[in-house]
Amino acid sequence: MEQVYIFTLSALFALAIFDLVVGVSNDAVNFLNSAFSSRAARLRTIMIVASIGVGIGAIFSNGMMEIAKKGIFNPEMFYFEELMVIFAAVMLADILLLDFFNTLGLPTSTTISIVFELLGASVGVAFVKELKEKDRLLYVIDGVRNYINTDKVGQVIVAIFVSVFIAFVVGSLVQFLTRLLFTFDFEKRMRYFSGIVGGIALTALSYFLVIKGLSGLSFMHKELLDWIDQNTLLLLGCFFVGFFILGQVLYWYKVSIWRVVILSGTFALAMAFAGNDLVNFIGVPVAAWDSFQLWEASGTPEQSMTMGALRENVQTPQIFLIIAGTLMILTIWFSKKALNVMQTEMKLSQQGGGKERFEATGLSRGIVRFSVWVTSMIEALIPKRTLKYIHSRFEKPEEEKSDSIDKPAYDVIRAAINLVVSSSLIAVGTSLKLPLSTTYVTFMVAMGTSLADRAWGRESAVFRVAGVFNVIGGWFLTAGAAFVMGLGIAVILFYGEIYGLITMIFLVGYLVVRNAIAYRRKQRKEKEAQKKRFNKEDLITISGIMKLSSQNIAGAVQTIDELYREVIDNLAVENHKGLKACKKRAKALTSDIEDLKSDIYYFIRSIDDSSVTSSKFYILILDYLHSMSNSISFIADTSYTHVDNNHKKLKYNHIRNLKTISEKMQQQFQKILEILNVSMYSNSTTQLIKDVSSIKDEISELIEKQIRDIRTTESSPKNTKLYFSLLLETRVLIRSIINLMTLFKNFKDQFRTMTNEK
């Protein structure tokens, strides 16, 4: 059996590598996002600072992997072979869960996931054990309680609610007061406040490092920690004086103290993350390693050796920490999913507009509506003069009102507050022995500061609130999913033994690879969509507008051409799967065009003064494209619904007529693409419009013929409805095409006239 456990250990450490990669991809947002979003420094500089923090934190990390060995379950209640089942189940579940959240781009807590996976796996194994010995379910459930450290689990659950609420409120309050003091035009005031900012912010970060960071490092002796605890106020006073002087000196040398605070905060959070959260990734395999060594040294059979010895503190081998730290740094630099997770928090906290990541919900609308009402009531109680003063402190200077898509998500003040408040709250929580989640605290502080900074305006509030609830819901989903997955996999491994382990490893590997392939495919699609979006440099002239419009029309026309043919062909043979794919693709086309329409504001502000009148042309082009995409979406959706409901197949002559229309439409679509490619706008476009109009007339004749047939022959009401719907919507599609090409022809002629006059 020793070979089996050696294989299990090898598998656990291999899985730990994957877990480390997906876990760091999720948690990197905690310490990178503020510096990244505010552009406090070059990306390379931010990454180097974070890497140093991660490296130091990992190398000197706490070797006592308490939570994995005795924090959730009572090890003396389990035999060695049972603990190996628990540890294997936890690693498999953790990889699946974190990879799923990373693929969605949602931040979640690795601490909560590991805690509830351990809980689920422990409960699963304990339940199976008790079920063998007891015949009544109540006795089984009562027996399972003896295996679990219920007090610790209760603390974690309570900490979720407490940390979320406190972080949001404190972040909002501190940001509001800070902005009230400094305003958005803060550079002018730094002559007097640079030293104070440096003293307060850097002292808070130092307190965080001392309390949260150093207390978890393996080389820190108890005597030194006791001295720090007894002389905390003295240390903080010395820190404040030193950093006050530093802040003032930096101002004299024209160095922004805010950027220093942001980089220092990034380092502090990265170091504490690596020093304290490393257990989430390698704690389980290290606990399994300790268990294996204890079993091997004892000579006791694995079925009868209880693991109470795990309650003793055993230091983690330094080589494990060095390897883990190296992998964490590499993941930070090369993980694309880490950037994906950062995009979620950045989108929810960005200052100003832009494409929102989440859709509004009924709950978010209700909360915003209630908040607007409460705000109006509070403002009614505040003197107008005071209210006017407060509003004036939140006004942006002209240079801050730039609507460039490439501008920072928010300024350095908010980024600094995010880091300082997060660090301080985590430090306080650690000193009070509260099991706070770094992810929860940093995310909710960021949401609180964005709300206080008026980043959630009336135009974006419903989307931001919906996003926050999506993320928070994901956190609670993490706990539930982690528990269920840990329990389920543990039961499978308990009964399946080595064969179950091998099967689960292959299954997890397959799912992770499949997610990776799907994620890369999604990234490629997003890059292709990004190419369709305007480039500011290309839009300063009318010719740039012409070029962009041609590209948008060509892309939409080609997609609509393919979709129309595929819908009719699939409808003819009642291909349910094919129609579903068409429906999905049509919806994606509509979404792409809506994205282009959402950029109209930035488009108008980007073009030069001589081309402003041409913006109307671009707006109308997008409107016609949107109408065309809506038509093809309706055609695809109606056809899919008909087949999905198992209604009667369309009559042969109906299918024949639709295919004839489809073939003629295809010919005209190809002509449109040729016109756009070779710039034959005048004569060719005129003839095209005539040909397309003739198809519209033909459809009108088919509608009249169907009306006559209904009165003379028996037909299905559902078929008639579908046939009419397809014909009528095709007419709408053709009308949009005619309007589009007429507009394009007229604008091209106008552009040519203007060019000749010059």
Side-chain angles (χ1 to χ4, degrees):
M1 287 297 292
E2 184 176 358
Q3 289 78 9
V4 172
Y5 292 119
I6 291 175
F7 170 79
T8 304
L9 274 176
S10 302
L12 283 176
F13 278 101
L15 291 171
I17 295 175
F18 286 105
D19 195 36
L20 194 66
V21 171
V22 296
V24 174
S25 296
N26 189 284
D27 280 3
V29 64
N30 297 334
F31 50 86
L32 286 177
N33 201 64
S34 291
F36 178 78
S37 299
S38 63
R39 311 281 175 85
R42 291 185 302 174
L43 180 60
R44 184 183 182 86
T45 303
I46 296 170
M47 299 293 276
I48 290 173
V49 170
S51 299
I52 295 173
V54 167
I56 294 175
I59 292 173
F60 298 107
S61 176
N62 185 354
M64 315 302 180
M65 301 295 177
E66 305 291 335
I67 193 170
K69 295 192 292 184
K70 60 185 179 183
I72 302 302
F73 56 81
N74 298 317
E76 64 273 10
M77 299 295 294
F78 293 96
Y79 297 123
F80 168 68
E81 65 171 359
E82 295 165 350
L83 277 189
M84 295 300 284
V85 167
I86 291 173
F87 294 146
V90 168
M91 293 304 299
L92 291 166
D94 204 48
I95 291 173
L96 281 177
L97 193 65
L98 293 181
D99 185 68
F100 173 73
F101 273 90
N102 290 345
T103 302
L104 293 180
L106 294 175
T108 191
S109 170
T110 52
T111 301
I112 297 302
S113 64
I114 202 75
V115 164
F116 279 90
E117 284 154 4
L118 280 166
L119 178 62
S122 304
V123 168
V125 173
F127 188 85
V128 172
K129 284 184 63 177
E130 290 293 305
L131 201 60
K132 289 181 179 180
E133 300 173 2
K134 299 173 182 176
D135 55 354
R136 297 187 64 179
L137 184 60
L138 289 177
Y139 294 155
V140 171
I141 295 174
D142 187 61
V144 169
R145 294 176 184 173
N146 298 324
Y147 292 79
I148 307 302
N149 188 346
T150 53
D151 292 338
K152 187 70 173 181
V153 175
Q155 285 181 0
V156 171
I157 295 174
V158 171
I160 293 176
F161 293 98
V162 173
S163 63
V164 166
F165 176 75
I166 292 179
F168 186 82
V169 172
V170 174
S172 301
L173 182 61
V174 174
Q175 178 63 35
F176 177 80
L177 295 175
T178 304
R179 188 65 73 188
L180 201 62
L181 176 63
F182 289 100
T183 74
F184 282 94
D185 191 17
F186 55 88
E187 294 293 347
K188 298 177 181 178
R189 295 165 176 79
M190 295 314 296
R191 175 186 301 179
Y192 310 104
F193 292 103
S194 185
I196 296 175
V197 169
I200 295 175
L202 294 177
T203 298
L205 291 173
S206 300
Y207 176 68
F208 170 74
L209 277 176
V210 170
I211 300 299
K212 177 69 175 172
L214 296 182
S215 62
L217 301 184
S218 56
F219 66 84
M220 294 297 291
H221 298 292
K222 186 177 183 301
E223 294 78 9
L224 180 57
L225 292 175
D226 290 340
W227 184 88
I228 291 174
D229 185 56
Q230 295 169 6
N231 298 275
T232 300
L233 291 178
L234 175 63
L235 282 174
L236 293 180
C238 295
F239 284 149
F240 179 82
V241 173
F243 290 132
F244 177 88
I245 297 172
L246 175 64
Q248 208 59 47
V249 170
L250 289 176
Y251 175 79
W252 293 334
Y253 283 92
K254 301 187 183 303
V255 177
S256 173
I257 188 63
W258 295 109
R259 299 183 187 278
V260 174
V261 170
I262 291 170
L263 292 177
S264 301
T266 301
F267 170 83
L269 275 178
M271 180 177 171
F273 156 73
N276 295 274
D277 289 1
L278 194 59
V279 62
N280 300 339
F281 313 121
I282 68 170
V284 169
V286 167
W289 170 263
D290 292 341
S291 301
F292 177 77
Q293 287 187 315
L294 290 170
W295 170 72
E296 195 174 40
S298 70
T300 307
E302 65 273 12
Q303 301 93 341
S304 58
M305 180 184 175
T306 58
M307 301 304 297
L310 283 181
R311 287 200 173 275
E312 299 178 6
N313 293 331
V314 180
Q315 191 165 352
T316 305
Q318 198 70 24
I319 186 64
F320 290 170
L321 302 178
I322 294 174
I323 293 173
T326 303
L327 288 173
M328 292 169 84
I329 293 172
L330 291 175
T331 301
I332 291 172
W333 280 89
F334 297 107
S335 174
K336 293 182 180 179
K337 288 188 177 181
L339 292 176
N340 189 34
V341 176
M342 280 194 287
Q343 287 292 332
T344 296
E345 185 172 314
M346 189 174 72
K347 285 288 185 182
L348 290 175
S349 57
Q350 66 183 351
Q351 194 81 31
K355 178 174 169 52
E356 299 293 342
R357 186 167 185 138
F358 296 92
E359 295 294 330
T361 63
L363 177 62
S364 68
R365 294 188 186 99
I367 291 174
V368 171
R369 194 175 295 115
F370 176 75
S371 300
V372 170
W373 177 77
V374 171
T375 302
S376 63
M377 296 295 290
I378 294 174
E379 288 183 347
L381 301 175
I382 300 175
K384 291 185 178 180
R385 187 173 181 180
T386 304
L387 199 60
K388 184 178 180 181
Y389 173 77
I390 293 174
H391 288 322
S392 69
R393 307 299 287 179
F394 283 84
E395 289 181 358
K396 299 180 186 177
E398 287 301 320
E399 58 268 21
E400 284 288 326
K401 294 181 180 179
S402 168
D403 293 298
S404 170
I405 291 179
D406 297 325
K407 71 177 183 179
Y410 44 82
D411 66 6
V412 291
I413 286 186
R414 177 135 62 99
I417 296 300
N418 285 344
L419 292 165
V420 172
V421 172
S422 298
S423 302
S424 301
L425 288 177
I426 294 170
V428 171
T430 301
S431 65
L432 297 175
K433 309 298 182 185
L434 292 176
L436 296 181
S437 166
T438 306
T439 300
Y440 292 175
V441 171
T442 54
F443 179 84
M444 292 310 297
V445 166
M447 295 304 99
T449 57
S450 63
L451 175 64
D453 221 18
R454 302 189 178 183
W456 295 8
R458 293 285 290 270
E459 293 185 357
S460 61
V462 289
F463 307 109
R464 307 287 173 87
V465 172
V468 170
F469 275 98
N470 266 285
V471 174
I472 294 176
W475 294 345
F476 292 102
L477 178 64
T478 300
F483 179 85
V484 172
M485 290 174 66
L487 188 151
I489 295 175
V491 172
I492 292 172
L493 297 183
F494 189 89
Y495 287 110
E497 298 180 343
I498 186 64
Y499 303 106
L501 176 62
I502 294 173
T503 302
M504 288 304 303
I505 289 174
F506 277 107
L507 178 61
V508 169
Y510 165 74
L511 292 175
V512 170
V513 170
R514 191 184 69 171
N515 283 346
I517 293 173
Y519 179 76
R520 289 178 182 175
R521 189 181 297 122
K522 177 184 174 184
Q523 291 294 97
R524 283 198 299 269
K525 288 182 179 179
E526 289 180 355
K527 285 182 179 179
E528 291 174 1
Q530 189 65 30
K531 292 178 182 177
K532 300 176 184 178
R533 300 170 79 89
F534 69 83
N535 186 322
K536 185 176 178 180
E537 287 73 20
D538 293 339
L539 288 175
I540 58 175
T541 62
I542 296 178
S543 60
I545 298 174
M546 292 291 299
K547 179 182 177 182
L548 180 69
S549 300
S550 298
Q551 292 173 351
N552 290 338
I553 294 172
V557 164
Q558 186 170 358
T559 303
I560 291 171
D561 175 27
E562 295 170 358
L563 279 172
Y564 195 88
R565 283 186 287 111
E566 290 174 9
V567 168
I568 301 303
D569 291 343
N570 288 316
L571 181 62
V573 295
E574 296 185 298
N575 185 348
H576 181 273
K577 185 177 180 181
L579 286 171
K580 187 176 182 180
C582 290
K583 177 184 174 182
K584 184 177 180 181
R585 192 176 170 194
K587 185 178 179 181
L589 173 65
T590 302
S591 177
D592 288 342
I593 295 176
E594 286 177 351
D595 288 348
L596 291 172
K597 292 186 72 173
S598 68
D599 286 337
I600 286 176
Y601 174 79
Y602 302 104
F603 159 76
I604 294 174
R605 294 183 67 92
S606 297
I607 58 179
D608 64 357
D609 294 338
S610 63
S611 304
V612 170
T613 55
S614 305
S615 60
K616 179 182 176 182
F617 160 75
Y618 181 74
I619 294 169
L620 290 174
I621 287 288
L622 291 184
D623 188 57
Y624 290 137
L625 289 178
H626 191 251
S627 176
M628 291 167 63
S629 69
N630 284 338
S631 294
I632 195 64
S633 292
F634 178 84
I635 290 170
D637 187 56
T638 303
S639 301
Y640 170 77
T641 302
H642 183 88
V643 174
D644 192 43
N645 289 335
N646 297 304
H647 294 317
K648 288 183 179 180
K649 186 178 180 180
L650 284 179
K651 291 183 178 180
Y652 171 77
N653 61 320
H654 291 166
I655 295 294
R656 182 191 60 200
N657 294 337
L658 290 172
K659 285 201 169 187
T660 301
I661 296 295
S662 175
E663 291 170 359
K664 292 182 178 180
M665 291 280 289
Q666 182 184 2
Q667 294 173 4
Q668 302 310 316
F669 282 135
Q670 293 303 315
K671 288 181 181 179
I672 292 174
L673 294 176
E674 290 175 5
I675 290 172
L676 294 173
N677 288 333
V678 299
S679 300
M680 301 182 300
Y681 291 99
S682 297
N683 297 332
S684 300
T685 306
T686 303
Q687 184 60 44
L688 172 73
I689 293 172
K690 291 180 181 179
D691 294 340
V692 174
S693 298
S694 67
I695 300 176
K696 189 175 72 168
D697 295 336
E698 185 176 341
I699 292 175
S700 298
E701 293 175 3
L702 290 174
I703 293 173
E704 293 176 2
K705 182 177 182 301
Q706 178 63 18
I707 293 173
R708 292 194 299 270
D709 290 345
I710 291 174
R711 297 183 62 83
T712 57
T713 60
E714 185 177 349
S715 59
S716 165
K718 298 295 183 183
N719 280 12
T720 301
K721 177 186 175 183
L722 174 64
Y723 187 54
F724 275 139
S725 297
L726 296 179
L727 291 176
L728 290 170
E729 199 61 38
T730 302
R731 285 183 83 254
V732 174
L733 175 62
I734 290 174
R735 186 164 59 245
S736 298
I737 294 172
I738 293 172
N739 292 336
L740 176 70
M741 296 310 296
T742 301
L743 173 68
F744 208 93
K745 173 184 177 298
N746 293 339
F747 186 76
K748 181 66 178 180
D749 292 340
Q750 180 184 349
F751 175 67
R752 186 179 298 153
T753 302
M754 292 172 58
T755 305
N756 292 335
E757 289 177 355
K758 292 181 179 179

